[in-house]
Every structure is written in structure tokens, then in C-alpha cells.
Amino acid sequence: MQSAVIEMLSAIGDDPAREGLQDTPRRISEMYAEIFEGLWNDPRDYLKVVFQVAHDEMVILRNIPFYSMCEHHFLPFHGEAHVGYIPDGKVVGISKLARVVEGFARRPQIQEQLTSQIAEAIMEVLTPDGVAVVIEAEHLCMTMRGVKKPGSRMVTSAMRGNFKQSAVTRAEFLSLVHGHH
């Protein structure tokens, strides 16, 4: 990784040996190990410890902050994820939902795929009656370069099971996520 960073610094026309850049290859290498740690873990593992409960109403964790890297430009995108599911006898600790979001976000990614991966993992491991995921994010590949539209946010959703089949269930989730009780 460090030699690749040295090559990149040279390729953009800078001097990797100059004082301000001497430690940059090491710093970038350590940073990439952290922000791409999701490549070495399976986020589904966070969902394996479940509790048997009779609760069959919606469980929602909203406003989960996340940071990811756009796989097209290797620039960050960041925002909030909202995750809900309707248990079918099994629930997980709510921190585990946040860990699933983080696990999939910490890899080269696109928002549409991130949204689907979170929904699929929960659907697969918890086998709930339904899963809903909404992600709102700002993409630096669009705000600091290209079209340069800071503040614009992309919204994606993935609905599975009851959330996909029932407009009423979907509307309830969306109203709870956006704080309209």
C-alpha cells in the first residue's frame, strides 16, 4: 500500500520525499486499513446472537451515521441510515443493526448496493416478516468535483417482505423514520 501511495504522489506531480509527504504513505495505509475493514469481516455475524421474543411490531433504529468510500472515485460519501424490521420471534440488540450498517459501509461501495446489502443481511439472518432500509447521504465525488452541488443528498431505499407488499406498513415506517408520529 505504501509503495502504491508513493507512486500515486509521483504520478500527480508531487515529490513523495518532501517533508510534508514523507509520512503520508504510512498514514494513508493505516487509514485505508481502518476505513476498509468491512472487507475482512462478514457483517451478518453481528446478527447471530438473537433473543426470542413475542414482539411482532416494527423495530426501528434511525439516524445511524455512517461513512463510506465511493468505489468509482474513492472519495467519501456519508450520511444516515434508517433500519427497521418486523420480527418473527427473533430480535437482536439494537447496536447490532448499527454494526451491520458500518460493516457494509466500510468497503469500496455504492449507496444503492449498500442499502440492499443491509436489507438482505437482516432478511437472511433474522428471517423477519419484513425489512426496510433508507439511506440519505452526501457524496463528495459530486460535491467537491464534477457537478459541484454541496448539500445535495441522495436517498435510497430497500424494502423487503411486508414493507414491500404493504403500502400501509411502508408508510408507517417512513413516517416514524422522519419523526412524524
Side-chain angles (χ1 to χ4, degrees):
M1 174 64 70
Q2 293 185 36
S3 56
V5 173
I6 290 168
E7 259 186 71
M8 184 185 69
L9 290 169
S10 295
I12 65 169
D14 212 332
D15 176 10
R18 77 174 169 83
E19 187 181 351
L21 291 179
Q22 286 174 1
D23 229 14
T24 298
R26 179 192 55 77
R27 286 191 296 261
I28 289 178
S29 182
E30 290 172 3
M31 175 188 71
Y32 275 11
E34 179 183 340
I35 63 179
F36 295 124
E37 69 186 5
L39 288 168
W40 296 280
N41 304 312
D42 184 354
R44 286 171 190 78
D45 292 343
Y46 296 120
L47 300 170
K48 300 240 165 104
V49 176
V50 296
F51 306 98
Q52 301 295 325
V53 292
H55 188 78
D56 62 357
E57 299 292 326
M58 229 175 269
V59 175
I60 299 172
L61 184 59
R62 66 182 194 184
N63 304 329
I64 306 163
F66 75 90
Y67 298 87
S68 193
M69 288 286 270
C70 161
E71 67 184 27
H72 297 152
H73 298 99
F74 259 54
L75 285 172
F77 67 97
H78 62 97
E80 294 180 331
H82 314 288
V83 178
Y85 69 104
I86 301 170
D88 184 21
K90 295 185 290 196
V91 297
V92 291
I94 56 169
S95 69
K96 304 306 188 244
L97 297 176
R99 289 193 187 285
V100 169
V101 170
E102 187 169 279
F104 284 115
R106 287 184 175 260
R107 46 181 74 178
Q109 195 55 278
I110 63 170
Q111 184 174 332
E112 298 89 337
Q113 177 178 271
L114 173 62
T115 310
S116 293
Q117 286 175 334
I118 294 164
E120 291 298 329
I122 295 168
M123 202 67 191
E124 181 185 312
V125 181
L126 296 184
T127 60
D129 290 334
V131 174
V133 178
V134 172
I135 294 181
E136 305 173 48
E138 183 172 342
H139 293 249
L140 267 67
C141 57
M142 193 179 93
T143 61
M144 71 181 282
R145 58 157 298 281
V147 73
K148 296 187 180 89
K149 295 295 178 204
S152 54
R153 289 167 68 88
M154 182 164 135
V155 179
T156 50
S157 70
M159 305 290 165
R160 304 288 187 271
N162 285 5
F163 290 99
K164 187 171 193 146
Q165 291 145 14
S166 167
V168 173
T169 304
R170 195 166 47 253
E172 180 185 347
F173 170 76
L174 294 170
S175 99
L176 289 168
V177 158
H178 293 101
H180 313 297
H181 313 298

